[in-house]
Amino acid sequence: MLPAPLFLSLLHHKYIGRYPNLLRPTTFNEKILQKSLRPDPWLTELTDKLTVRDYVARKLGESHLIPLLAAPETFTKEVFDALPDSFVMKANHGSTYVKVVRNKSATSFEELRDLANHWLSLDFYKIGREKHYRPIKPRIFFEQLLLDESGNVPPDYKLQCFGAKSGRLVIYILVISDRFGADTRGDLYDVNWNHLDVVIGEYKPSENPPPRPDNLDAIVDAGIKLSADFDYVRVDLYSPNSQIYFGELTFTPGAGVLPFMPDRIDYEWGSLIPDAYLSITPSLRATSPGVR
């Protein structure tokens, strides 16, 4: 029932330990809160995990999209029966709505249907007041399950891309390992793969940080292409067996209440985002499909 600015200020104080300055934001989290409250309308199209695929195909190429198995208007038994033995079920309108199915015979249509219906009933906007999520029509879809050569879900490369639109690009790479396992870890690197002593959110660093991927240059290049229109965006990629696949674009990570250790990173990353920045080049918005 609280107005969004008050709700977010209280949430920020709870997780960050101070009240945000929403009028003159300086930290990373404050500027993310600003974007949550006043997003460009185009962000809805780019945040929707289905409609963003068209943008990625234009910028990076269709070969970098995870193969889409089904995106039904209604999840029925017929849809379930037509799916392969392994797949990933997702919802398009929020975060963490992901179900990995390695063996379809070990689950049931009813179990997945109930989970899908639960996701569809949730208003993701109410969780963190990220306004650009509000217009997204919730849908369930199914993608091919990506596995590396060891049969494991590949690491998630989250490229924090600052300043691309203004020509002062800075990239940090957060690597999430064992995301769906019992020992999920998060390791932060600079673009040259120097491991940084930084903790982001709930992700604790690994005792033995992941080695530099052989195709790091290609991963970074994909991030550069997908971030070119923005002053800040997080580009999520996967690279099983040296093939690069798109995960999602995130404009308001952690809903603006993402703790950093040390806390100075909140200020350092905030300085990389221009004050009162516009996330999208107006000329690109004018020519983008679906933008009015």
Side-chain angles (χ1 to χ4, degrees):
M1 299 298 292
L2 294 175
L6 177 57
F7 173 84
L8 291 173
S9 294
L10 294 173
L11 201 64
H12 186 276
H13 183 269
K14 176 181 178 180
Y15 288 102
I16 308 301
R18 57 179 172 270
Y19 290 105
N21 187 336
L22 296 179
L23 294 178
R24 295 180 178 84
T26 58
T27 69
F28 175 79
N29 278 300
E30 287 172 346
K31 291 183 178 181
I32 294 303
L33 288 180
Q34 184 187 62
K35 180 54 58 181
S36 293
L37 291 168
R38 296 192 296 274
D40 187 289
W42 192 28
L43 297 193
T44 295
E45 177 186 334
L46 299 176
T47 299
D48 184 320
K49 293 175 175 58
L50 284 171
T51 58
V52 71
R53 292 172 64 93
D54 290 337
Y55 177 80
V56 175
R58 296 196 305 270
K59 301 291 287 189
L60 199 60
E62 291 190 5
S63 63
H64 297 286
L65 294 170
I66 300 174
L68 186 64
L69 302 175
E73 290 294 333
T74 304
F75 181 33
T76 64
K77 183 65 162 55
E78 290 72 22
V79 173
F80 175 77
D81 289 342
L83 291 170
D85 291 336
S86 63
F87 55 87
V88 179
M89 183 174 80
K90 298 181 179 180
N92 69 322
H93 68 296
S95 178
T96 73
Y97 302 155
V98 180
K99 173 67 174 179
V100 174
V101 176
R102 287 178 171 268
N103 182 359
K104 190 167 71 169
S105 64
T107 185
S108 67
F109 163 68
E110 289 76 17
E111 178 185 349
L112 294 185
R113 179 199 59 196
D114 291 346
L115 178 59
N117 288 339
H118 172 64
W119 287 347
L120 293 174
S121 72
L122 300 176
D123 184 350
F124 191 75
Y125 165 76
K126 293 181 179 179
I127 298 174
R129 305 295 179 92
E130 297 163 279
K131 194 174 181 181
H132 49 294
Y133 281 94
R134 200 169 198 175
I136 298 175
K137 177 185 176 182
R139 290 184 63 184
I140 298 297
F141 65 102
F142 301 86
E143 290 180 339
Q144 177 180 314
L145 174 61
L146 300 180
L147 298 174
D148 62 21
E149 57 189 9
S150 300
N152 299 316
V153 174
D156 192 346
Y157 295 99
K158 298 181 179 293
L159 280 68
Q160 310 280 348
C161 302
F162 300 86
K165 191 181 72 173
S166 61
R168 298 185 297 274
L169 179 61
V170 176
I171 295 178
Y172 292 97
I173 305 171
L174 177 63
V175 183
I176 307 301
S177 306
D178 196 28
R179 179 182 173 190
F180 301 102
D183 189 31
T184 303
R185 295 287 171 170
D187 294 276
L188 187 68
Y189 297 84
D190 66 16
V191 75
N192 296 312
W193 209 253
N194 295 305
H195 190 265
L196 305 177
D197 189 16
V198 174
V199 176
I200 299 179
E202 62 185 9
Y203 297 116
K204 306 303 181 185
S206 307
E207 293 184 5
N208 298 302
R212 177 189 178 112
D214 293 336
N215 64 336
L216 176 62
D217 290 346
I219 293 172
V220 172
D221 184 63
I224 292 172
K225 291 177 180 177
L226 290 176
S227 66
D229 297 337
F230 315 103
D231 272 326
Y232 170 76
V233 65
R234 195 191 77 202
V235 178
D236 291 6
L237 302 170
Y238 305 97
S239 186
N241 309 315
S242 296
Q243 300 295 314
I244 297 174
Y245 292 97
F246 169 77
E248 64 180 274
L249 296 180
T250 301
F251 298 92
T252 53
V257 294
L258 186 64
F260 293 93
M261 292 181 59
D263 182 58
R264 61 177 172 79
I265 301 299
D266 200 3
Y267 292 87
E268 291 178 5
W269 282 19
S271 70
L272 299 175
I273 303 176
D275 294 337
Y277 70 102
L278 295 174
S279 63
I280 298 168
T281 303
S283 62
L284 290 171
R285 290 181 53 223
T287 58
S288 174
V291 178
R292 301 289 184 267

